[in-house]
Amino acid sequence: MNVTSNVTPRLAIFVDSSTPLTGALPVTWAVQQLREALARDGHPTDLIGRVEAASPDTTVIVIADSRSPLAHEVLQRGGATLPAVAEALALVPGRLADRTVVLATGRDERGLVYAILELADRVSNAADPRAALALARPISEQPANQIRSVTRLFVSDVEDKPWFYDHDFWRRYLSMLVSQRFNRFSLAFGIGHDFLRNVIDAYFLFPYPFLVDVAGYNVRVAGLSVEERTRNLAMLRFIGEETKARGLHFQLGLWTHGYAWIDSPQANYRIEGITADNHPAYCREALRTLLTECPTIDGVTFRVHGESGVPEGNYDFWRTVFQGAAECGRRIELDLHPKGVDQEMIQVALATGLPVNISPKYTAEHMGLPYQQASIRELERVSRPPEGDAFIAHLMSRSAGSHRYTRYGYADFLREDRAYGVFFRIWPGTQRLLLWGDPALAAGFGRHAHFCGCLGLELCEPLSFKGRRGSGRPGGREAYAHPALRPAGGDWEKYLYTYRLFGRLTYNPEADPDCWRRFLRHQFGDAAAPSEAALASASKVLPLITTAHHVSAANNRFWPELYTNMPIVDSNRPHPYGDTPSPKRFGAVSALDPELFSSIDEFAAELVAGQSSGKYSPVQVARWLDELAEAASFELAEANGRILDPLDPTYRRLAIDVRIQIGLARFFANKLRAGVAYALGERTGSRERLREAATAYRTARAHWVEIVEQTVGVYVKDITVGGEPWLRGHWADRLAAIDDDLRDLEGELAKLADSPRTTKEGGKTVLEKPIEELIFEPPAVGYRHEPPRSFHPGEPLAISLTVRPSDQGVEPAQVILRYRHVNQAETYCQTSMERDAISYHAAIPASYTDSAYPLEYFFVLRGQDDHAWLYPGFERDLANQPYFVVRQGKETKDGGDPR
């Protein structure tokens, strides 16, 4: 780099060019970002040719490869260590040539970029940039996850073309991603519809002919001009170049490979010139052409199950397509979205010789609590013949049949001897619209995304699926009705805090809280701390509901932010929830993790029988929701009292969305109680229980009305993520179904007006405990447990647990060990543990450990009164892993006890 001035300012930058790393394009770009950040705050900097060129009172920012002698000297003098891990970074204060210096260094190009951008972020969010650069001690960090990705989905011709063609957007958006420690960006095409039936918006649905002309094939998009196709390819090249200029991995998602739309008279585009005979070869050549034309593409994501338009089990088709990547002249990562994937499909990909990853959904098509769920629903775990019409059955023979268990989790993919990588994708079902930001849960995702040696996670960004299935509306993805609430830089800027938490805390779950708090201080001043706390509590609400009460695993059915009511009383009332146990009503709904959470009907049956499973009950979940709502409400009131400008759009957006999530917490808490009371009333004939149900349901309705009142005029009347009524609309639209269900419940109550009252439930009188008090509080016993560091297949695995009695002398009468391979297709085994003088002991049999899978286990403790509880269970922040994992011959740090 050239010296740009003979006058040395009080801040200067020296780029050590003794190794080639500092001349890399992403590093040069990052240095420019730092200089611009300093200039915006009134501190222009010059690049100097050597540290000695700075005046003695100048602070010099030294940019250096960790292998350079200069970096080694500063690290050594500062007593700092740079981890020998890819993407590690260090910032070290020190002295060189009698000048104050701050060293920014990294283990590799990306680590160095992160170090430089960390300084830029500190400057941008500080009142005094010089003070922000005055580090009290060395800082070194390394990534917890190899993959930290964000995917942006093109699903709407109307809403997505504006950002796709916007050069300025891409520069700002990609800069934000790398600044927040993401290391890859994925652009997804072909995901605007689930199946190629009833297609409306077909833009980029079968992506190839929208981007390239393939020699020897007269395949084209009817109605698409050559000029527009050329523009699309040029834009894709630009996006790839800007992504690589920032040091990010560029992944392209090609989610559909079918080409013929069925029963789709409204489709805006159709594919011509392709037939069943030339389809595989065309896709191979089109993929090769696309990868040649866009040399910045590092990997390709394929949806290889039936929703791609290609029937499952068609291995020859995919073998042909993958050749296009294998023969493009460089090493391309293949990422298989593994719903319905079997070992033969994986072998087809591995046979290319290319690196292969598979990317299961983290928690179905939603965002639940961050641990890897201890079990999956019976609906998915148990294989059965494909259901539905012949069209679906033909396409989905595995994912809807023999391999249902692969639909919504890690399934059977986590063998210790696997030859492929695994990372998780957080699907856009739970959080699409409302602002999200909980540091504890984000750190939980950071800790649990590398579960059992997995590589990390990919986040489907906020507003994903906006305008999907032909529901797009002119004006872009913006959902605010009030113009003052629309972010000046585009809709995505509403979620800057969300990106920051996910990026920073999947890179380092133990990161200094200042990395997000400085951002909040810069935005909200004295209101920063209560704003953080309010949003954190509110942001636990929907992940908790998603995990504990899961009406549908499909994002195109269940949208908890804008919930379509499921009836408590009459399962014949219209609702969209088909993939739920029968009878299809509120009480029968399974948890997403039924091993740890009971359904309403299960809990009611336990109460009537006087037997406890130890699972978290709907009434316990309701209490948690109330506590989250109360905490968020208190902190929001604090923030309202401290905020300097309550009309600031950024603060208003936060406050509105927190209030909505408070309302959702209170709605679901009271509806869960209503469901439990109704289920008890059904089982016992108790009119008092039905009265409780009606009272709780009226309270739930009142909270829904509050949400409606808060959102009218704030959000548009028709927020669309799909064409069906449950995927669009406004909170006001949902009230009628709640009222219908409430009337049904009140009708049931009226029928029992003259019925005799049943007085017994599990040995307790009906009136002894209100519904909200039907919670068992585990005794305050003490625990000591050391998970085994590893196990050897074919040898028994000894497990022990020490339980110290509570101060009142309470201790368990029985301890049960529940264990399972880390394979979601399997069920748990259990054994009663034997007690000696101080501890409980059991062994997982040698015949069971003789497996390719790690092991997971937890304990069920049962008291003298038959009440049961779980250990380790959930901690207060709901971010921990509530079970233990032991791997074969490996430490448990990446999958064991998180505490």
Side-chain angles (χ1 to χ4, degrees), residues 806-874:
S806 69
D807 292 342
Q808 292 75 36
V810 177
E811 58 183 347
Q814 182 186 30
V815 177
I816 297 168
L817 173 69
R818 286 185 64 79
Y819 59 92
R820 193 200 69 188
H821 298 127
V822 180
N823 178 350
Q824 291 175 326
E826 299 182 7
T827 57
Y828 279 78
C829 303
Q830 72 175 40
T831 184
S832 183
M833 303 184 76
E834 296 183 1
R835 184 176 183 180
D836 62 18
I838 59 172
S839 300
Y840 296 82
H841 303 275
I844 298 175
S847 59
Y848 197 83
T849 69
D850 191 10
S851 161
Y853 292 94
L855 297 169
E856 64 182 77
Y857 64 91
F858 64 94
F859 305 95
V860 180
L861 296 89
R862 192 171 298 279
Q864 300 290 344
D865 58 358
D866 205 43
H867 279 116
W869 67 98
L870 308 180
Y871 177 76
F874 288 104

Side-chain angles (χ1 to χ4, degrees), residues 26 109 239-250 296 298:
E109 178 183 287
I239 295 166
E241 290 163 0
E242 292 295 315
T243 302
K244 300 302 288 182
R246 288 154 179 78
L248 294 167
H249 171 110
F250 182 37
T296 55
D298 295 303

Side-chain angles (χ1 to χ4, degrees), residues 113-133:
V113 168
Y114 290 155
I116 299 166
L117 295 178
E118 172 65 14
L119 294 177
D121 188 74
R122 288 167 177 254
V123 166
S124 297
N125 290 291
D128 181 355
R130 285 183 61 85
L133 297 175

Side-chain angles (χ1 to χ4, degrees), residues 876-891:
R876 284 189 61 84
D877 64 6
L878 302 176
N880 68 300
Q881 177 178 282
Y883 52 82
F884 303 96
V885 169
V886 187
R887 297 188 64 189
Q888 297 181 8
K890 296 183 180 181
E891 301 291 333

